[in-house]
Amino acid sequence: MKNYLIAIIGAGPSGVSILKKLSTQSVFEIDLFDEQSRLGGNINRKKIEEKNDEIENLIANNLKVNFYNKTSVLSITENNEVSFNHSNSFKKKKYDFICLCTGAFDTFFPKKGYNDQKNITSVGFLQAVLKNSEIIPSGKIILAGSGPYLHVVGSDLLKAGGNVVQIIDGLSLFSYVKLFFVSMFIPKNIILGIKNIIYLKIRKVKIHFNNSIKEIDNLKVTLKNKIKVDFEHLGISDIFVSQIQLHKTCNLNIKLNYLKNNLVAVVNNHYQSSNKNIYVGGEGSGIFGSFHAQISGQIIANDIIKRTRSIKNFFSFIHIFYATYLMMFGEIFEKEMLKGVNFFDKDSLICGCEKIKTKEIEKLIDFGVKDFNSIKISSRCGMGSCQGKYCETNLVNLFRQKNISIKSFFNQSNFTKPITVNDFLNDKI
Amino acid sequence: MIKYDSIVIGTGIVGSFTALELCKLKQNILVIDQNGLSPGTTRSCDGNILVADKTSKKLVEITNDGKKLWKDFIKEFGNECEYDEKGSILVATQKDDAKKLGDHVEFQKKLGIKCSLITGNYNLLETHLSKTNSEAVAHWPDDAQLQPMKLCFHIADICSNLNAKYNLYAKIIKIEKSKNGIKVTSSKNEIYFCENLFICAGVWTNNLLALINKKIPIKPRKGSIVVLERGDLKINTKISDFSYNRTVTNTDSQDTLVAAVIESTKSGTILCGSSREFTGFDNTKTNPEVLKRILNDCVKLVPKLKDLRIIRSYSGLRSLTPDELPIIGEIDPNIYVATGHEGSGHSLATITAKILSSYFFTNEYSHYQNIVSPDRFNV
């Protein structure tokens, strides 16, 4: 029986969930890479050296699993060769499947861009803010994305007094109904979504189903069906942000493949025909970030299993069914990681990129600092490669826990994603 | 009634050192800022303490004195701000600039500044400096860099321990004279009294002076910086194009002036500057065209930069005076200003505080009072 070599790059929630799933099959030999010494990536806000027993045991006892910690992956070549730097020596290895689960640390998978546009935030962030304080984005608000979450945030904003005018949903209304029936159990999320769609309809909010953003230009969005909509504040769920960025600039020619359930999972464009076999998981920021990331991991793992067994033409609804099932009963890695730990323990990490601990932020808060930019510039929290994507929500939660109102949030950087100097100078934005 | 010996408005680098000086004089002080901690120019600069770019005799002398005070500060309070005397180099990129750079070195040498033209292989000092674009290179080994925000927070910490009170996010809306001293009202409706008021509000100083019907000749000059991701490339010193000095002294031009300035920070990122433009008080956004000009010039000096990734850009406002010297001194009875430091806020912050304190106790810096006094303009 043929053995398959798998590289999982990134030991965060999506990477580990792929590992957990695939390690149950004896045909896979798995190498897990991470730059840090520990598992958990961005959701491991515990002390850096603390361990996660279950996964540690899995790695220690399963001879077919290797964890290369403190290892940087340098490149991935055309023929699936991964070169990496482990214990100060360079190594190269060829794999059958490669899973990029690097989330924001996508250094060899750059999505670049210079963004002049203001007033664009993620929906997850909007909700975190809304729960924390009385701040509501002013002017006409538009939300774009897909799935029930979008409508929940829309209703919340409306109830709080926000002027939500339009919602752009990637799903069709029919797919909500389909999701409801396919999933047999009572899918709480779907019911919540449908309830909120009705609420929004009564309040005369225009919802564009089965539509997506084609272009954003100067407080104006153009939709797929050429409708133009003005806005003063645009909330985008993270998949859409990725979608816009990916379509524009990805140098690996990767296409976002919608799995019709608000989950982030991106697969290679040539994935059916060529032998590249590169999957991208993770990238799930926002409140349910790690949850989405894990599910994307599960989907990738399932797909690998399916393909190595040469099962073809699987019905797409099986995916939907499986994802909905996971949403309700799936194991949640985060819960495990955070078991018995105070979420904002003094030594837990608020900012994963720059390794900023809660106690450092608390010192600033005690001093009277209440705006995120002061925190960013005094502590470096938010200055890393993720551009504040992860830590901003953490800060909001910390302020919420302490019951302190926030003066202002991070200023939006003009550079939404890192871009090389050369590309910037040659307008390859 | 809450009464303080002194109130300092502004928590930037100048306000921080003023507050520290007053605390050392055992005064009971209050420090106010309308936004968070150091929300203005200090936040958006690169924290340089430079003599290399000073072209007038007065400015060289005052900067050199200020630098000695920096060493005293680090010795007394520790190096939490990552103060690093890594030196700076000026690079002449054109033939006729090479001679001018030689003259500039001679001029500073005469004033007792340690600097020299590099005759040998300058790549021993700065590995990645372009060979083709560098006509002449000069080295200032004593020039330093620090992390401005760590410094301001460190000083705020020291001052708090010396019983200074801090009130952030409070805007001053009224300054009045009363029989209890100067009465200051904040936007939070707090009323404070003080003997002396120090306005260290940088480029926004005139907004406060308007409350007492005064005005000083400063205007905001915007500068932008691009931040490159940390990687293997390290710049040992601070590299500036020699034309940088010209952009500093060219105060009349309405055009956007750009000169390459490249340096590594302690955290590993690389900062690329610099620009000088008049765009009013708007510093919320960087202009991509200006950033491109900056990066083009920087890549000419250090070609390897072009493969690094940009992660951020930011801009700040320098306060420019007509004669390029700061404005420090008493502007109204018991009301003092300290502003107009342009690109030299860090170089001059320490000595600014000493000049202010010389109004109360004569010290060895008293003779600078006249040179930087606001009285030299019709205020």
Side-chain angles (χ1 to χ4, degrees):
Chain A
M1 198 171 175
K2 185 181 172 352
N3 269 1
Y4 294 92
L5 283 175
I6 315 269
I8 303 172
I9 301 159
S14 69
V16 168
S17 62
I18 296 177
L19 175 81
K20 273 173 82 173
K21 183 90 193 169
L22 293 186
S23 61
T24 56
Q25 315 269 329
S26 57
V27 291
F28 298 117
E29 275 177 37
I30 307 163
D31 288 346
L32 177 67
F33 298 92
D34 204 290
E35 287 195 325
Q36 297 181 36
S37 60
R38 63 187 168 85
L39 293 165
N42 260 320
I43 66 158
N44 190 347
R45 298 191 191 90
K46 291 197 289 183
K47 284 175 198 159
I48 294 172
E49 296 308 325
E50 230 166 285
K51 302 228 155 71
N52 177 280
D53 291 341
E54 191 200 328
I55 314 286
E56 299 272 330
N57 287 341
L58 193 157
I59 290 167
N61 300 331
N62 193 331
L63 294 175
K64 294 200 164 178
V65 176
N66 286 316
F67 180 34
Y68 290 96
N69 62 353
K70 295 184 190 164
T71 302
S72 310
V73 171
L74 303 165
S75 68
I76 301 172
T77 59
E78 284 289 308
N79 51 359
N80 277 14
E81 215 171 42
V82 175
S83 67
F84 55 95
N85 182 4
H86 180 64
S87 316
N88 289 327
S89 64
F90 291 95
K91 284 175 187 159
K92 258 187 187 178
K93 200 167 168 184
K94 207 176 160 185
Y95 291 92
D96 295 309
F97 293 92
I98 297 169
C99 309
L100 304 182
C101 303
T102 45
F105 300 90
D106 45 6
T107 38
F108 50 86
F109 174 54
K111 281 172 274 166
K112 50 213 168 179
Y114 179 88
N115 185 6
D116 256 350
Q117 323 239 3
K118 270 183 162 184
N119 304 338
I120 301 176
T121 48
S122 83
V123 170
F125 179 64
L126 274 180
Q127 200 195 31
V129 170
L130 202 63
K131 280 184 180 164
N132 176 63
S133 58
E134 58 287 347
I135 299 173
I136 302 157
S138 57
K140 277 191 237 165
I141 306 167
I142 295 181
L143 302 179
S146 66
Y149 186 41
L150 200 64
H151 304 283
V152 174
V153 177
S155 310
D156 283 352
L157 272 166
L158 206 61
K159 282 172 197 160
N163 182 19
V164 182
V165 283
Q166 314 234 4
I167 291 180
I168 302 144
D169 191 339
L171 293 180
S172 63
L173 190 54
F174 177 65
S175 56
Y176 284 95
V177 182
K178 202 166 74 182
L179 274 170
F180 183 83
F181 286 110
V182 165
S183 40
M184 276 163 23
F185 314 98
I186 310 291
K188 277 192 214 149
N189 285 338
I190 307 298
I191 291 186
L192 198 66
I194 294 173
K195 238 162 97 180
N196 281 299
I197 290 172
I198 296 166
Y199 176 82
L200 289 165
K201 282 274 181 196
I202 294 171
R203 298 288 297 270
K204 294 197 172 123
V205 175
K206 173 92 184 131
I207 305 175
H208 302 269
F209 285 105
N210 206 4
N211 214 328
S212 64
I213 292 178
K214 210 176 147 201
E215 202 182 297
I216 307 172
D217 185 29
N218 204 14
L219 302 184
K220 204 170 250 169
V221 293
T222 311
L223 304 185
K224 204 169 67 186
N225 56 357
K226 289 177 190 164
I227 294 175
K228 282 194 174 139
V229 192
D230 295 332
F231 69 91
E232 272 138 287
H233 196 102
L234 175 62
I236 304 190
S237 75
D238 295 291
I239 330 160
F240 262 72
V241 180
S242 323
Q243 188 194 29
I244 292 164
Q245 298 286 349
L246 283 167
H247 274 311
K248 246 176 149 178
T249 56
C250 208
N251 55 0
L252 269 178
N253 195 15
I254 281 178
K255 187 178 141 201
L256 196 121
N257 188 3
Y258 264 111
L259 290 163
K260 293 196 174 178
N261 43 31
N262 199 18
L263 305 174
V264 190
V266 191
V267 290
N268 194 317
N269 207 5
H270 314 289
Y271 120 94
Q272 294 291 352
S273 54
S274 96
N275 56 358
K276 262 189 184 169
N277 294 346
I278 296 176
Y279 292 81
V280 181
E283 276 284 345
S285 68
I287 289 178
F288 301 130
S290 78
F291 190 63
H292 287 172
Q294 285 168 66
I295 295 171
S296 77
Q298 296 277 352
I299 289 167
I300 291 172
N302 256 19
D303 204 76
I304 292 176
I305 293 170
K306 192 181 89 186
R307 288 182 60 205
T308 50
R309 286 181 185 166
S310 327
I311 304 170
K312 279 175 190 166
N313 300 326
F314 230 65
F315 294 115
S316 67
F317 79 84
I318 296 292
H319 268 318
I320 302 168
F321 174 85
Y322 186 65
T324 323
Y325 168 77
L326 281 170
M327 266 188 177
M328 294 161 57
F329 303 107
E331 278 178 87
I332 301 178
F333 179 56
E334 184 167 21
K335 265 191 194 156
E336 258 167 50
M337 295 296 291
L338 298 173
K339 210 185 286 166
V341 182
N342 179 1
F343 195 68
F344 289 112
D345 183 57
K346 266 195 201 143
D347 286 317
S348 57
L349 292 175
I350 287 269
C351 170
C353 307
E354 297 286 327
K355 311 276 173 299
I356 309 297
K357 292 176 178 174
T358 306
K359 60 180 176 194
E360 293 168 58
I361 307 291
E362 278 177 338
K363 207 174 151 192
L364 285 163
I365 295 175
D366 291 344
F367 195 76
V369 177
K370 290 176 195 166
D371 66 302
F372 284 10
N373 285 317
S374 290
I375 288 178
K376 174 176 177 177
I377 209 134
S378 309
S379 68
R380 296 194 67 79
C381 171
M383 279 199 186
S385 341
C386 86
Q387 307 275 19
K389 201 162 123 191
Y390 291 90
C391 43
E392 192 162 38
T393 318
N394 290 346
L395 280 179
V396 169
N397 285 329
L398 182 68
F399 272 69
R400 188 196 299 170
Q401 197 196 36
K402 290 185 172 290
N403 224 350
I404 300 170
S405 65
I406 300 162
K407 284 275 174 194
S408 62
F409 302 99
F410 286 145
N411 278 351
Q412 223 180 332
S413 168
N414 282 335
F415 292 93
T416 47
K417 293 275 180 182
I419 168 174
T420 65
V421 171
N422 209 14
D423 285 352
F424 181 63
L425 288 177
N426 294 316
D427 278 327
K428 286 187 197 160
I429 296 173
Chain B
M1 188 185 82
I2 314 167
K3 186 159 181 184
Y4 293 93
D5 294 333
S6 296
I7 292 180
V8 179
I9 304 173
T11 53
I13 181 81
V14 175
S16 295
F17 269 99
T18 306
L20 181 64
E21 189 66 24
L22 294 168
C23 283
K24 282 204 244 168
L25 296 173
K26 300 225 159 51
Q27 285 207 4
N28 172 26
I29 67 159
L30 172 73
V31 188
I32 298 182
D33 205 301
Q34 65 163 326
N35 279 312
L37 198 67
S38 318
T41 308
T42 305
R43 169 173 296 187
S44 11
C45 71
D46 48 1
N48 282 305
I49 299 165
L50 295 182
V51 186
D53 64 337
K54 306 292 180 289
T55 46
S56 80
K57 183 169 174 276
K58 281 176 193 165
L59 214 48
V60 172
E61 281 170 354
I62 195 169
T63 311
N64 203 27
D65 275 350
K67 231 167 111 180
K68 286 173 198 152
L69 290 167
W70 268 105
K71 290 189 179 172
D72 296 345
F73 169 78
I74 302 295
K75 212 184 251 173
E76 192 175 350
F77 294 104
N79 193 2
E80 291 210 9
C81 60
E82 301 169 354
Y83 176 87
D84 181 12
E85 286 189 356
K86 58 182 187 178
S88 73
I89 56 176
L90 287 184
V91 183
T93 46
Q94 279 145 19
K95 278 242 160 58
D96 48 332
D97 266 357
K99 192 189 165 299
K100 284 182 197 158
L101 179 60
D103 295 346
H104 180 61
V105 170
E106 283 309 312
F107 158 74
Q108 290 220 349
K109 263 187 184 167
K110 269 183 201 150
L111 294 169
I113 307 298
K114 208 163 133 192
C115 57
S116 59
L117 274 176
I118 300 176
T119 44
N121 181 5
Y122 45 72
N123 285 120
L124 293 175
L125 183 69
E126 200 54 86
T127 332
H128 304 290
L129 192 62
S130 157
K131 282 201 175 66
T132 45
N133 286 317
S134 315
E135 291 290 337
V137 181
H139 185 212
W140 276 256
D142 288 345
D143 281 355
Q145 193 191 15
L146 53 82
Q147 217 278 31
M149 287 307 290
K150 277 197 174 160
L151 174 78
C152 287
F153 189 60
H154 183 205
I155 294 182
D157 210 27
I158 299 168
C159 292
S160 300
N161 289 333
L162 293 170
N163 285 328
K165 295 277 171 300
Y166 276 77
N167 188 0
L168 302 179
Y169 312 101
K171 194 178 174 187
I172 305 298
I173 50 167
K174 236 186 239 174
I175 300 172
E176 296 158 293
K177 298 275 166 71
S178 76
K179 59 176 189 289
N180 291 318
I182 299 164
K183 184 183 167 191
V184 173
T185 314
S186 85
S187 53
K188 298 185 204 163
N189 279 327
E190 297 146 326
I191 295 172
Y192 303 107
F193 292 88
C194 63
E195 288 298 324
N196 298 302
L197 179 67
F198 294 86
I199 301 175
C200 308
V203 72
W204 296 273
T205 301
N206 273 332
N207 296 351
L208 289 159
L209 289 181
L211 302 174
I212 52 168
N213 292 320
K214 295 268 176 183
K215 198 176 179 208
I216 49 170
I218 52 168
K219 54 179 175 174
R221 189 145 73 148
K222 184 173 161 180
S224 308
I225 290 176
V226 187
V227 187
L228 307 183
E229 199 170 40
R230 71 186 70 146
D232 304 330
L233 193 84
K234 194 176 177 301
I235 308 292
N236 302 323
T237 61
K238 175 196 175 77
I239 306 176
S240 311
D241 193 324
F242 182 54
S243 66
Y244 176 79
N245 291 7
R246 272 202 297 277
T247 66
V248 177
T249 49
N250 188 349
T251 54
D252 305 324
S253 170
Q254 291 301 312
D255 302 333
T256 301
L257 305 169
V258 168
V261 175
I262 310 154
E263 62 213 313
S264 290
T265 63
K266 266 275 157 75
S267 67
T269 51
I270 290 178
L271 307 181
C272 294
S274 65
S275 66
R276 279 175 159 78
E277 53 182 326
F278 294 108
T279 54
F281 281 89
D282 175 33
N283 70 335
T284 48
K285 245 177 148 182
T286 48
N287 178 348
E289 291 313 312
V290 175
L291 298 185
K292 272 180 199 165
R293 280 179 61 190
I294 291 174
L295 288 168
N296 250 326
D297 286 3
C298 289
V299 168
K300 271 182 209 154
L301 283 185
V302 181
K304 277 198 173 170
L305 287 180
K306 67 177 193 297
D307 300 324
L308 295 185
R309 299 200 303 165
I310 307 167
I311 49 173
R312 259 194 305 285
S313 62
Y314 59 88
S315 58
L317 301 170
R318 311 176 182 93
S319 52
L320 178 71
T321 60
D323 60 359
E324 294 160 56
L325 283 167
I327 299 173
I328 305 163
E330 197 170 18
I331 193 159
D332 216 34
N334 299 328
I335 298 180
Y336 298 82
V337 287
T339 183
H341 295 73
E342 222 270 352
S344 310
H346 282 77
S347 313
L348 302 177
T350 47
I351 198 156
T352 300
K354 289 286 179 199
I355 294 170
L356 285 174
S357 80
S358 75
Y359 277 85
F360 304 94
F361 303 97
T362 313
N363 63 21
E364 54 191 302
Y365 307 103
S366 303
H367 64 279
Y368 284 125
Q369 270 188 22
N370 286 335
I371 298 171
V372 294
S373 155
D375 298 339
R376 69 183 193 273
F377 305 108
N378 272 336
V379 291

